[in-house]
Amino acid sequence: MKKSLIMCLAFLSIFTFTGCGNKVELNLDEVQTELEKLTNDKFSFNAIQLSAENNEYFYDEDIYDTEEEFGLTYEYFDQIIARKNSETEEKYVVIKPVQQAGSEEKIIDIMEKYTKKQKLETKYEKYQDYLIYVIGNKPEEMMKRIKDSKSPIFQSLIEIKKPDLENLMGVKESWVEESLVMNSAIIVNSNLYFIIKPKKENLEDVQKAVDKYMVDLEEQWKTYLPDQYELVKNRKFEKLGDYLVYIVSEDNDLVYNKIKDLAKK
């Protein structure tokens, strides 16, 4: 009985060590493609042009002089984007009024007078803190596209290939089976994600090197940009099968869950 118990325990330890039943495979090309498309659920003013415009909804000119075009001066708004199609005269305008009594009402009055003069159909909605005007042939559809504008989680990332990992963070190429290391390409953004599958004998080497890189990164941002420092400080690390996953973003759980969804077990 004792011998049988020892054999069972030994088998269990081997089973646990080898991770049977926890085998995970990731197609890193697919992961990269899907994470590039990943957006948060919040409306983003800065994403409007990228999200709403395409070949069908084409606007080739920015309207910079809002006073001349609409009669709208800068004292009334915090943010504005105004674009038009120079051939069809279709336009859209998205305005965030200043937080001052009467500003929103003044903008609405000015824009109502302007839109009444337009030959094309006009659609107006107040959405969250923004006033949206669409003048065109399909204003309802463009209105929907504007309201659906959301920021990508990751922007301006650059891929670091295996041969360059040692220069970046001290991870030798010989330690790694495969990797998808996407680092920020701009100095004002700390967003990144690293997915690294180390060779079994080098698991600790890789983890130690990347952990040190992350600590150094935290120190770097600590005295630079407070908001980006908070993102780095609150980074996410998970082991997904044989992969080490590191994420710095505004929604780490959203990113990690997307990676998990793409995993094949």
Side-chain angles (χ1 to χ4, degrees):
M1 178 69 179
K2 186 175 181 180
K3 184 176 180 181
S4 298
L5 179 60
I6 291 172
M7 289 179 66
C8 286
L9 290 172
F11 176 77
L12 181 61
S13 66
I14 293 170
F15 182 84
T16 304
F17 177 76
T18 56
C20 290
N22 294 315
K23 183 74 171 176
V24 170
E25 291 295 334
L26 285 170
N27 181 328
L28 295 182
D29 289 335
E30 180 185 20
V31 171
Q32 183 176 6
T33 298
E34 292 302 314
L35 291 187
E36 284 176 357
K37 298 187 292 185
L38 192 64
T39 62
N40 57 37
D41 292 328
K42 299 177 183 176
F43 170 75
S44 172
F45 175 85
N46 294 326
I48 290 172
Q49 185 174 341
L50 181 64
S51 298
E53 297 187 31
N54 60 14
N55 291 333
E56 183 178 0
Y57 299 94
F58 177 71
Y59 303 81
D60 58 339
E61 283 189 26
D62 288 294
I63 301 171
Y64 293 113
D65 194 337
T66 59
E67 185 173 5
E68 181 180 349
E69 180 73 24
F70 310 113
L72 193 60
T73 57
Y74 287 94
E75 64 188 288
Y76 297 121
F77 57 83
D78 280 330
Q79 293 177 304
I80 188 168
I81 180 172
R83 302 263 296 158
K84 75 174 183 178
N85 182 309
S86 57
E87 291 186 7
T88 65
E89 289 301 312
E90 292 178 283
K91 304 179 184 77
Y92 70 85
V93 188
V94 184
I95 311 165
K96 184 178 183 181
V98 297
Q99 296 299 308
Q100 183 176 328
S103 293
E104 182 177 310
E105 291 77 8
K106 184 66 175 177
I107 292 172
I108 292 172
D109 181 57
I110 290 170
M111 291 302 295
E112 184 177 354
K113 291 175 182 176
Y114 175 81
T115 55
K116 281 182 177 178
K117 299 176 184 177
Q118 305 305 303
K119 295 179 181 179
L120 299 174
E121 185 180 352
T122 297
K123 178 79 174 174
Y124 159 72
E125 278 193 41
K126 180 177 179 180
Y127 184 67
Q128 297 184 13
D129 297 326
Y130 295 86
L131 309 176
I132 306 175
Y133 296 85
V134 180
I135 301 165
N137 297 314
K138 299 178 182 178
E140 295 85 0
E141 176 60 26
M142 188 59 187
M143 178 68 72
K144 181 179 183 302
R145 294 178 69 87
I146 291 171
K147 289 163 60 178
D148 286 343
S149 298
K150 297 176 177 62
S151 288
I153 295 293
F154 295 110
Q155 301 182 62
S156 302
L157 297 186
I158 185 170
E159 184 174 359
I160 310 299
K161 299 293 188 178
K162 276 202 301 181
D164 299 315
L165 292 180
E166 187 167 4
N167 288 334
L168 178 69
M169 64 182 84
V171 173
K172 295 182 179 180
E173 183 178 3
S174 61
W175 293 352
V176 177
E177 283 194 21
E178 58 176 332
S179 65
L180 175 59
V181 174
M182 303 297 295
N183 212 13
S184 178
I186 55 178
I187 61 173
V188 294
N189 192 319
S190 65
N191 285 2
L192 58 81
Y193 64 90
F194 299 167
I195 305 173
I196 304 173
K197 185 178 183 180
K199 293 178 180 177
K200 290 183 179 180
E201 63 271 21
N202 297 117
L203 173 61
E204 291 185 8
D205 297 320
V206 171
Q207 189 169 343
K208 183 178 179 181
V210 181
D211 286 346
K212 181 182 183 305
Y213 174 78
M214 289 295 178
V215 171
D216 291 344
L217 203 60
E218 190 175 325
E219 287 300 311
Q220 172 187 319
W221 287 103
K222 192 173 185 178
T223 55
Y224 184 32
L225 293 175
D227 60 331
Q228 299 302 308
Y229 166 65
E230 289 298 318
L231 294 182
V232 177
K233 188 173 68 172
N234 295 312
R235 61 189 175 273
K236 189 177 187 68
F237 167 67
E238 296 285 348
K239 289 183 178 179
L240 182 60
D242 294 328
Y243 296 88
L244 306 179
V245 180
Y246 299 81
I247 303 165
V248 176
S249 76
E250 292 185 350
D251 197 334
N252 295 335
D253 290 336
L254 178 68
V255 177
Y256 182 66
N257 288 334
K258 171 57 73 173
I259 296 169
K260 279 203 308 182
D261 289 345
L262 295 169
K264 297 172 183 176
K265 297 181 180 180

